[in-house]
Amino acid sequence: MPHYRAYGLTLFANAPIPGLVALVQPLSSSPDICVELDAMPSFWHPQLQNSESARAWYVSHRQDAQGQPILQAWQLQQGAYFRLKYCDGTEFIVDRGGCRIWAKWIAPLTLEDTATYLLGPILGFVLRLRGSVCLHASGVAIRDRAVLFLGQAGAGKSTTAAAFAQSGYPVLCDDVAALTLKNGQFFVRPGYPRLRLWSKSVIALFGNPESLPRIVPTHPTWDKRYLDLVQNDYRFQGNSLPLAGIYRLSQRLDRAIAPKIERMSSQAGMMSLIANTYTNYLLTKQMRSTEFEVLGQLLQSVPLQQLHPRADPSYLPQLVELIASDLGTES
């Protein structure tokens, strides 16, 4: 059975996971996480499902076209497990220690659909359970240092990282930036060797949406695609790197002054970090308290600046040059 490495953790799965590259050499020790696809734990049964459904621990405010919450979550077995169910019927059960994951889906959904959840919010939640603070950010390596692009969905995090990839820089992570604090210094763990891009971004970067394959080939409407970072001379940064800077992607400007970088006040920086932590909607009070302390340390030790891209995507190469030059001034 395949073994993988993602976000600094080793994973064992009972079937191949789309998007991950299997390790060539078998693990010499037990994996950090065991993933069972198309399976549920032995204690799970319909009667338990019905009884737990009345006690949702979390219900998302966002709803689908039918008015159903995008995500609901429950705590099971006196809090020993979490159940997360998406509106399309995909569901996961995760143990509190972040060591085991079970996943189930319904037709016409496929393993590829489920993997988009698994490699994003589910592993993001597991990282949080295991004590890692994660930012909603994509990252690249510049001179053996990590640089993160922070922002909400649609801000251009993955697009910016892809522009760096086109310029020959290694990509460190996409959408989920897992942080580790060692001897007073923050490091960013490597994610996995893919960048996910909407067709609009693919057109801006490559000229044609068909330049990159769909993440889910059979999905009729979801047109997100991926850049494979182990093909065509692209580079994936497979080791953790010290974090040298964070850029919060802000409003795109049409004016000739863009792209530009602006300093952020400490207050604005802290608010931005708090708003852009990953899966913060699933945190307990204790996890939230710990996160707040870590973000305070992060703000004191790593420069956080606001980045205004040019609205015209043809200026992405200039954006890459600006950030690389700015990081040099921080050396």
Side-chain angles (χ1 to χ4, degrees):
M1 294 297 178
H3 290 76
Y4 304 97
R5 192 179 304 277
Y7 303 109
L9 301 172
T10 53
L11 294 81
F12 165 83
N14 62 343
I17 300 176
L20 297 185
V21 178
L23 298 175
V24 176
Q25 297 294 331
L27 297 177
S28 58
S29 59
S30 298
D32 296 306
I33 304 170
C34 289
V35 181
E36 296 193 45
L37 299 165
D38 199 22
M40 285 282 114
S42 58
F43 67 78
W44 186 246
H45 51 81
Q47 290 81 5
L48 179 61
Q49 178 175 342
N50 293 335
S51 65
E52 294 288 350
S53 295
R55 300 193 300 275
W57 171 57
Y58 167 79
V59 179
S60 70
H61 295 294
R62 291 179 57 211
Q63 298 180 339
D64 65 6
Q66 287 70 46
Q68 295 298 313
I70 296 295
L71 172 65
Q72 297 182 77
W74 295 263
Q75 295 194 46
L76 311 176
Q77 303 282 290
Q78 291 76 51
Y81 299 88
F82 297 90
R83 175 188 174 218
L84 297 94
K85 184 175 182 180
Y86 290 90
C87 57
D88 60 10
T90 305
E91 58 183 310
F92 297 85
I93 291 180
V94 179
D95 77 316
R96 180 171 284 275
C99 297
R100 299 197 68 181
I101 302 172
W102 293 265
K104 197 80 174 175
W105 58 93
I106 58 176
L109 298 176
T110 65
L111 174 58
E112 285 79 6
D113 292 287
T114 301
T116 63
Y117 292 122
L118 175 64
L119 299 181
I122 299 303
L123 277 184
F125 181 47
V126 166
L127 285 161
R128 305 309 302 265
L129 290 173
R130 298 177 68 97
S132 178
V133 170
C134 301
L135 296 178
H136 196 187
S138 296
V140 299
I142 301 178
R143 294 187 289 277
D144 294 323
R145 294 180 294 170
V147 176
L148 296 180
F149 308 113
L150 186 75
Q152 298 292 336
K157 303 181 296 296
S158 299
T159 303
T160 304
F164 271 86
Q166 283 188 316
S167 297
Y169 291 90
V171 174
L172 182 60
C173 58
D174 182 34
D175 207 45
V176 184
L179 305 180
T180 301
L181 183 59
K182 297 180 181 177
N183 300 321
Q185 186 174 25
F186 282 92
F187 287 76
V188 182
R189 301 181 185 184
Y192 59 97
R194 274 191 180 185
L195 275 172
R196 300 180 180 186
L197 300 162
W198 291 107
S199 287
K200 182 178 180 180
S201 295
V202 178
I203 293 172
L205 291 161
F206 300 96
N208 187 328
E210 300 304 322
S211 300
L212 298 181
R214 292 174 181 261
I215 295 174
V216 185
T218 59
H219 202 293
T221 58
W222 200 60
D223 196 28
K224 207 160 195 181
R225 298 169 183 268
Y226 69 90
L227 177 63
D228 189 340
L229 297 171
V230 296
Q231 300 290 333
N232 300 322
D233 296 325
Y234 293 110
R235 293 192 287 164
F236 173 66
Q237 174 62 43
N239 299 316
S240 297
L241 290 178
L243 179 55
I246 303 174
Y247 296 88
R248 177 187 176 273
L249 289 163
S250 190
Q251 180 184 6
R252 296 179 177 90
L253 300 178
D254 290 314
R255 302 189 298 274
I257 58 173
K260 71 172 183 175
I261 296 169
E262 295 179 333
R263 298 287 179 179
M264 296 182 70
S265 68
S266 296
Q267 182 179 5
M270 190 62 177
M271 294 299 293
S272 182
L273 288 175
I274 292 172
N276 289 284
T277 53
Y278 200 76
T279 61
N280 50 24
Y281 48 86
L282 292 174
L283 301 187
T284 64
K285 290 182 179 180
Q286 180 58 48
M287 292 165 70
R288 245 325 189 185
S289 176
T290 300
E291 175 186 86
F292 191 81
E293 294 178 8
V294 172
L295 294 181
Q297 292 177 271
L298 179 63
L299 190 62
Q300 292 178 358
S301 59
V302 178
L304 174 58
Q305 302 181 87
Q306 187 158 266
L307 176 64
H308 290 278
R310 188 76 174 258
D312 183 350
S314 66
Y315 283 85
L316 281 169
Q318 286 90 325
L319 181 68
V320 170
E321 293 177 6
L322 175 66
I323 294 168
S325 175
D326 182 67
L327 185 66
T329 64
E330 299 288 344
S331 300

